[in-house]
Structure formats: structure tokens, C-alpha cells
């Protein structure tokens, strides 16, 4: 009886501990509409895990965004890219909430931000108000939802982070209710021969495996024959109620004959490790097929902290004559689970599919710096640019260089240096380093010009060359005409575009006074809000100067009238 009571108290204590770690019903909702998600925490994105949840805003902008608890604003960011307009609020209980892709801030915060923007004469700013300088109360309007930065559509990106470590945690762990009654979806199962001589169904290469749905809703794979050390990978997603988005799953657990070999979940992670997503997924498969296979085994260069349990790094050592029963449980945070069973027979077989020979002239050692001279340019890879050693394909062209391809993920920036001495000085001033896509279309790579060399730092492999941009940007009025009366207008906007190197900077004045123009790269639009009240004159001369990334500049001058 005492032992029974001990276990009862023990599990109650565990439950209370979990409640204390992630407080329930302490935070309010950041929106006053039902929470329907377009993206979940930990979702697999390009080179990173999603660090919050994306809340749908009914395809609208301008919805009030509320402080989820009392707190103080500790950081404000306004950027053309990334989070766009973002707000960080620290709360007394040790958590920080983050609200991103905002259209604008609440009145007090908006006034604070514009003051700094006009002082610095810059739309893009980052501010760290003194603690307590901008206080907010639970349920107060602190911003309005939008579509700024790298957003692909109107929504609110929302995070909860530890104020101490800065690590984001899954917002759904704090008691937010999101309807989800659907099991995760399984799209594909793959087997990986890992050790030398390992085979799966007579293949030394990765192989896709068949499976069928059973009457109880689980999946059963066709029997696998294997030898050596092997691993499995899955292509999977989760779908929440009231949304068609393919979201990330919360947890994957792999057992072999009842023993847990690997288990990971997306409770939390650190921003410092997020790029190691490229070691969790089969990056080469993603490059070829745009499908993210999550490995159920851990590579030696995988430094993610998401693993809750590992035995033999999730790899399975198959012995001849033995039978194995592998079970994969794929779960979402609501507890919906998809089960896949893989029966394995340990059997030595003749190899039918050999491992692909990827030998090239150059072998790269990942933990050492590597230099290569490719004629038109030199390439320098610092130590740990890549995750593992590999044969790297390097090609010299007359004016181009090709650095392997993007089937290999670069973890760190590497350096490419071109010698432009064969070009005339006037041409060099308008030249930049360009990455060429598969159709040989150039895109600008940030180019530094010093000591007679053109240099760029990048993580993108592929083909590079020098390109000249001699055409200045274009500037056109969007919602007004020359000499027009704009008395009833709340804003004026212009379209700015550049055909090659891209927009680097822009600046505008009204009657000689600097004005704040908000740039939205997705629509190539800059906008001035007349609420700023910079000039009181009836006749207004607008001057807008736009410069591209190689220094070509265009100045638009126009006149309008306003009472």
C-alpha cells in the first residue's frame, strides 16, 4: 500500500513539475480569433527549424495583436526581410513573447519607433528599449498583424522564448487550444545501408520501401531483408483541423524488438543549432526531390539537442538468421499517432544495386581549412564549412567556376575571390559576383571590392561568375500623378525596380525634408504615410533616389498639391 501511494505521489509531483515548467492558462491569446495554424513549432524549413507557430489571420492584415501578459518591450526590429516588423515582450515569469510580420505597432510603440527612424533617417532599425520604458498590460493592443519581411502571406508569427537562455519553446505547451483530430500522414519510408557492405533488399544504396495500411489504421511494411548496420528515414507531415497546410510532426519514436533506439521531439531547441536541420534530413534527397526525409538515426556530425533517447544512435545492426520488428511512432502534440511496423529478416544476399561512385579529383576534409585555385577565382573553405568529408567536384570555365552542386549542405560561409584585373576600371565599378542558376540566370551575391579583388561570402554552392550591371533602377509613381491634388490621400506610393543587381538603398524628401518610406520588396513598393506630417505647404516637391547594388542611381522628382 505504501509503495502504491509512493508512486501516486511521485507521478503527481512529475505532473506538477511539468505544469511549473510550462505554465498553463497564464498567457492569453495574441489574437481575438480562433487559433488556426499555418505553421507549427519545429516545422522543417530551409536550413532551419520553425521557431514559433504561424497563426492564420483570415487572409487579412490589420488584426489587433494583444500582449499575452503584463510585460515590457525589450526589443523592436523593423526589417525588409526575415521577421519584418517584430516585437519582443519580456514577462515577469521568465518568458519572452515574440510577434512578427506585423503591419504596424500599437500607438505608443509606433511613435517610439518612428522617432528613432527619423533620427537615423532609416526605415530599417533595431531598438532595445530600457527595461520598463515601454510597459504593456495583459490584453492591450501592441501591434496589428501584417505580411512584412519574409512572410509569404498575411499571418502572425508568434513565439514564446526563455528570457534567460533565449531558447524558443513550443507555444502549444502553454495551454493554447488548436483543434487537431487528425493523425500524421506518412508519405514515404526509406532504408539506409550505413556500414561498409550493408545491404537492404540487395541494395547498397538508399532504397524506398513499400508499406500498406492495415485495418486498424496502422501501416505494415513489406518484409525487409538486410545485413550489416542500417537505418530508416520517413517523409511525413501533420495536418491540423480547419487548415490544409502540411505542418511538421511533433515527435518520432523508433523501437527495435521493443527497445527504444531513437526518440526526438520538438519541445524546444536553440537558435545556435537550428542549421543542423541539414543533418536530420536527407539533404541530397531534398535537393533532388524537394522532399524532406527525417532520419530515424543520428549522424556523427549531428549536434541537435532534440533527442530524448538514443541507442546505438538509432542505427540497427542486423545479424544473419535473426528477425527484427521495427516500430515507428509518429505523433503530433495533440496525441494523434501514426504507427508503422517494419519486419526485418537478417539475411546475406548478393548485391544487386551497388553504391554510387562519387569519386572526383578533389577530396575535401571537413574539419580542416581547404583552399582551391580555379583559375578565374579562388575558393576558401574554413574548417567545418561542411559536415563530413566528401569528394568535391570543382570545374574551371573561362569566366566561370563551378563549386560542386547544392546536393551538399554548407554549414558555414565560405569565400570566393575573383580577379577582375582583365576588365577595364570603368566596367569593374559596375560589376558584381553572381550565382548562376540552372538556366544560367544571374543573381547578386554580396560583393566586397578591396585590394584588387572581388570577394563574396556564401553558403550556396554552384556556378559563379562576374556580371556587369550598367542599368540604373526604375522609379515610378504608383497611386498618384504629376501635379495631382492629394488632399484626401492617406499615403503615397511608388514602384521601385532593378533589372539585375537589385536595390541596395533608397531615400526620399518632401520639400527638402527627409521622409520615412516603407519598402515592401514583395511588391516593389515604397510608401509614405501622410500622418507623419513632415510638411505643411500646399505645394510639395517629392524627390526619391534609388541606388542598386553596384552604385547605379536614379532620382525621381515630382510635384503634387495638398491642403
Amino acid at each position: 500500500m505504501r509503495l502504491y501511494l509512493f508512486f501516486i505521489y511521485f507521478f503527481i509531483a512529475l505532473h506538477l513539475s511539468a505544469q511549473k515548467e510550462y505554465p498553463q492558462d497564464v498567457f492569453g491569446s495574441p489574437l481575438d480569433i480562433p487559433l488556426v495554424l499555418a505553421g507549427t513549432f519545429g516545422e522543417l524549413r530551409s536550413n532551419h527549424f520553425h521557431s514559433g507557430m504561424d497563426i492564420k489571420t483570415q487572409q487579412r492584415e490589420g488584426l489587433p495583436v494583444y500582449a499575452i501578459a503584463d510585460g515590457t518591450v525589450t526589443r523592436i526590429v523593423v526589417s525588409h526581410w526575415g521577421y519584418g516588423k517584430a516585437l519582443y515582450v519580456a514577462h515577469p515569469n521568465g518568458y519572452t513573447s515574440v510577434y512578427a510580420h506585423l503591419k504596424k505597432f500599437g500607438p505608443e510603440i509606433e511613435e517610439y519607433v518612428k522617432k528613432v527612424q527619423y533620427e537615423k533617417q532609416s526605415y530599417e532599425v533595431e531598438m532595445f528599449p530600457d527595461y520598463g520604458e515601454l510597459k504593456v498590460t495583459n490584453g492591450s493592443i501592441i501591434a496589428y498583424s501584417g505580411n512584412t519581411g519574409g512572410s509569404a502571406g498575411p499571418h502572425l508569427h508568434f513565439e514564446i522564448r526563455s528570457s534567460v537562455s533565449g531558447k524558443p519553446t513550443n507555444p502549444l505547451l502553454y495551454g493554447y487550444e488548436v483543434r487537431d483530430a487528425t493523425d500524421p500522414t506518412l508519405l514515404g519510408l526509406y532504408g539506409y545501408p550505413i556500414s561498409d557492405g550493408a545491404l537492404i533488399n540487395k541494395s547498397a544504396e538508399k532504397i524506398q520501401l513499400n508499406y500498406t495500411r492495415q485495418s486498424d489504421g496502422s501501416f505494415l511494411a513489406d518484409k525487409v531483408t538486410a545485413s550489416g548496420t542500417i537505418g530508416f528515414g520517413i517523409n511525413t507531415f501533420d495536418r491540423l483541423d480547419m487548415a490544409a497546410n502540411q505542418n511538421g510532426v511533433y515527435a518520432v519514436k523508433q523501437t527495435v524488438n521493443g527497445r527504444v533506439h531513437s526518440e526526438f521531439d520538438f519541445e524546444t531547441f536553440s537558435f545556435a543549432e537550428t542549421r543542423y536541420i541539414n543533418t536530420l534530413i536527407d539533404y541530397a534527397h531534398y535537393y533532388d526531390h524537394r522532399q524532406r526525409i527525417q532520419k530515424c538515426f543520428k549522424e556523427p556530425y549531428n549536434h541537435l539537442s532534440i533527442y530524448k533517447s538514443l541507442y546505438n544512435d538509432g542505427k540497427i545492426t542486423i545479424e544473419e538468421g535473426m528477425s527484427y520488428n521495427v516500430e515507428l511512432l509518429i505523433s503530433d502534440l495533440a496525441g494523434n499517432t501514426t504507427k508503422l511496423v517494419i519486419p526485418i529478416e537478417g539475411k546475406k544476399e548478393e548485391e544487386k544495386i551497388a553504391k554510387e561512385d562519387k569519386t572526383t579529383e578533389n577530396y575535401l576534409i571537413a574539419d580542416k581549412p581547404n583552399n582551391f585555385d580555379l583559375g578565374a577565382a579562388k575558393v576558401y573553405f574554413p574548417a567545418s564549412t561542411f559536415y563530413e568529408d566528401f569528394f568535391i567536384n570543382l570545374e574551371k570555365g573561362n569566366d566561370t567556376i563551378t563549386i560542386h552542386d547544392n546536393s551538399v549542405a554548407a554549414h558555414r560561409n565560405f569565400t570566393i575571390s575573383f580577379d577582375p584585373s582583365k576588365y577595364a576600371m570603368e566596367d569593374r565599378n559596375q560589376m558584381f559576383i553572381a550565382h548562376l542558376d540552372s538556366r544560367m540566370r544571374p543573381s547578386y551575391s554580396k560583393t566586397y571590392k578591396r585590394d584588387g579583388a572581388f570577394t563574396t561570402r556564401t553558403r550556396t554552392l554552384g556556378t559563379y561568375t562576374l556580371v556587369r550591371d550598367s542599368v540604373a533602377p526604375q522609379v515610378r509613381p504608383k497611386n498618384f500623378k504629376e501635379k495631382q491634388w492629394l488632399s484626401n490621400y492617406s499615403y503615397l506610393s511608388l514602384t521601385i525596380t532593378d533589372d539585375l543587381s537589385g536595390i541596395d538603398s533608397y531615400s526620399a524628401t518632401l520639400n527638402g525634408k527627409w521622409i520615412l518610406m516603407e519598402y515592401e520588396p514583395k511588391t516593389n513598393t515604397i510608401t509614405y504615410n501622410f500622418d507623419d506630417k513632415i510638411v505643411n505647404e500646399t505645394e510639395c516637391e517629392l524627390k526619391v533616389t534609388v541606388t542598386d547594388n553596384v552604385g547605379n542611381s536614379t532620382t525621381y522628382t515630382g510635384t503634387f498639391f495638398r491642403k
Side-chain angles (χ1 to χ4, degrees), residues 228-274:
T229 300
I230 66 170
F232 292 102
I234 50 173
N235 181 13
T236 182
F237 71 86
D238 188 40
R239 180 167 282 145
L240 285 72
D241 295 359
M242 302 172 65
N245 305 73
Q246 295 187 4
N247 302 125
V249 301
Y250 177 68
V252 177
K253 182 178 182 179
Q254 175 188 226
T255 62
V256 182
N257 290 345
R259 178 172 188 171
V260 177
H261 267 50
S262 65
E263 182 178 8
F264 62 85
D265 66 35
F266 292 103
E267 172 188 345
T268 185
F269 59 84
S270 73
F271 288 106
E273 67 180 299
T274 188

Side-chain angles (χ1 to χ4, degrees), residues 374-386:
L374 301 183
K378 294 180 174 62
V379 184
Y380 170 66
F381 299 108
S384 302
T385 297
F386 300 101

Side-chain angles (χ1 to χ4, degrees), residues 192-193 197-203 223-232 316-322 324 343-349:
Y192 290 80
L199 296 175
I200 299 177
N201 290 351
K202 302 181 181 180
S203 174
K223 178 176 278 191
V224 172
T225 57
S227 59
T229 300
I230 66 170
F232 292 102
I316 308 166
T317 301
I318 305 297
E319 297 183 14
E320 187 175 7
M322 298 289 291
Y324 303 84
I344 304 174
E345 177 186 353
K347 186 177 182 181
K348 290 281 188 182
E349 295 184 296

